[in-house]
Amino acid sequence: RSKPQEKPAAKSPEQRNEPPLDLKLDVKTLWLTKERTLNDVKATLIRERPGWHTINLESRMESGKSFRIRYAPASSAYRQLFLDAEDAGDALRTFGIAKTASGGKIEMSGKEESAEAPLKGSLSMGGFRVRDVGFLTRLLSAASLSGIVQSLSGEGIVFDRFKANFSMIKGVVDVKDGNALTADLGITFDGKIDLDQSGIDMKGLVIPAYTINSIIGKIPVLGDILTGGDGGGLFAAQFTMTGSLDDPSI
């Protein structure tokens, strides 16, 4: 009896050995998919066989707000990354990350010290609203936070802050010190995202009544004992998220 054929693993950029590219764009509309576009795009894209050398793009999203990304050699580093969007929700929708996000701002920055070094940086977003996000609904349901789940499926919830540090090399993103905060909820997370394999291995805490937890945590000595130190809470639920990015197990 023959063995079933296994699905071949996705190739990393190094394995794909992409052909060199030197492209300049100045277009009114750039279609990313049938539904998503970038407008007024001006871009310089340079790719060498080892990978991307320069990405310099300025554009406007559906909302009319700007989206910019620059990844290029710099005097203070082998290469530097800078990304910002005046409307975080529009950026998340445009790139298919969160279809119901709206508002807020996003900034990402990082640098590589050499050709072999990882890209190290940070991501920061704030003031954006999300509704009906599948994995978030499942996560909050698992933590028995029915009230917040109802808000998420209704008018949505607003994240006042979303921050994380990251290190990326060979398609794997190592996420550290991640935290997402609303008025009533805190989420901390650390782990890995494999972009080439579309996989995730993340763990963290869901902290309801975040304001109360924060007040308790600021009590000298006693606060650290009760909350478990920085990033913890008196009321908190641990979680793990593993498997496919499209449908992770929680």
Side-chain angles (χ1 to χ4, degrees):
R1 194 168 106 183
S2 62
K3 295 182 180 180
Q5 293 185 347
E6 295 183 359
K7 182 180 179 181
K11 291 184 178 180
S12 67
E14 292 82 1
Q15 293 173 318
R16 288 194 291 267
N17 194 22
E18 302 284 6
L21 174 71
D22 189 338
L23 179 66
K24 293 186 183 297
L25 293 176
D26 187 351
V27 297
K28 185 68 176 176
T29 303
L30 177 63
W31 292 86
L32 304 177
T33 70
K34 291 182 179 180
E35 294 83 23
R36 304 193 300 268
T37 64
L38 286 175
N39 302 312
D40 301 327
V41 177
K42 290 180 172 59
T44 299
L45 308 172
I46 301 174
R47 184 179 62 207
E48 299 172 343
R49 287 200 179 275
W52 287 105
H53 177 277
T54 299
I55 301 173
N56 193 0
L57 181 145
E58 295 186 3
S59 64
R60 296 200 173 275
M61 299 175 290
E62 184 179 314
S63 62
K65 302 292 183 64
S66 69
F67 174 82
R68 302 180 297 171
I69 181 170
R70 178 173 174 78
Y71 171 71
S75 57
S76 60
Y78 177 72
R79 284 194 184 90
Q80 276 189 321
L81 168 71
F82 177 75
L83 178 153
D84 78 325
E86 291 181 327
D87 189 319
D90 201 352
L92 295 174
R93 295 195 310 273
T94 297
F95 292 95
I97 299 171
K99 296 180 180 179
T100 59
S102 62
K105 291 187 176 183
I106 179 172
E107 287 189 357
M108 180 189 293
S109 61
K111 62 181 180 180
E112 295 169 330
E113 297 295 349
S114 70
E116 294 76 27
L119 172 65
K120 293 184 177 181
S122 62
L123 168 68
S124 175
M125 294 190 290
F128 64 99
R129 183 186 300 273
V130 293
R131 293 184 299 105
D132 291 326
V133 179
F135 78 88
L136 188 55
T137 299
R138 289 162 54 201
L139 175 60
L140 299 178
S141 296
S144 300
L145 300 176
S146 57
I148 300 177
V149 171
Q150 289 177 359
S151 297
L152 185 62
S153 61
E155 63 182 12
I157 57 177
V158 175
F159 281 94
D160 302 308
R161 186 178 79 188
F162 182 105
K163 290 186 176 182
N165 298 321
F166 66 86
S167 175
M168 182 175 74
I169 189 167
K170 296 183 178 179
V172 178
V173 184
D174 191 2
V175 180
K176 296 288 187 183
D177 305 318
N179 61 82
L181 307 178
T182 77
D184 303 310
L185 177 71
I187 301 173
T188 67
F189 53 94
D190 295 89
K192 296 182 184 297
I193 300 173
D194 190 328
L195 299 177
D196 291 326
Q197 302 295 334
S198 296
I200 186 169
D201 185 359
M202 200 77 62
K203 64 180 180 179
L205 294 173
V206 178
I207 310 169
Y210 182 76
T211 302
I212 297 174
N213 274 292
S214 297
I215 294 171
I216 294 173
K218 291 177 181 177
I219 300 174
V221 183
L222 181 61
D224 286 343
I225 294 173
L226 292 175
T227 65
D230 187 36
L234 179 59
F235 315 105
Q238 293 182 334
F239 74 89
T240 60
M241 186 180 299
T242 59
S244 167
L245 275 173
D246 294 331
D247 189 21
S249 299
I250 298 174

